Amino acid sequence: MAIPVVVLVLACCLGAIQVASQQVRLTDAAADAARTLARGDSHAVAAARVHRVASSAAMSTSMSTSTSGDFVCVQLSAPAGFGPAALAGVRVRASGCALAGGL
């Protein structure tokens, strides 16, 4: 009786680690896309950078951009890719901002 419960708990822990890893990848991709847009590159170039990072996890990532003063911000959202979070329809979100005209 205890072995199925232990397996379930371990599966949930593994799923949580996978979702946390996905969050870190999305955060990196959002920061990279914000820097790309802030340098003046096209939206297509920024989207390609996001796709390169997101495709490694087979995520269907949606991207939106906004400008706030001198800052360019990118918001990313993707469905959780593993475990109970994926079955529950959880979405992972991340954002990044960069100073426009920055290096």
Side-chain angles (χ1 to χ4, degrees), residues 21-71:
S21 172
Q22 182 181 5
Q23 174 71 40
V24 169
R25 285 193 309 271
L26 277 181
T27 301
D28 287 343
D32 193 28
R35 285 190 302 270
T36 300
L37 290 173
R39 281 194 308 257
D41 291 343
S42 70
H43 192 279
V45 172
R49 286 178 178 252
V50 168
H51 179 69
R52 185 182 72 234
V53 172
S55 67
S56 66
M59 295 183 279
S60 58
T61 305
S62 63
M63 179 173 91
S64 64
T65 61
S66 62
T67 305
S68 175
D70 289 337
F71 289 94

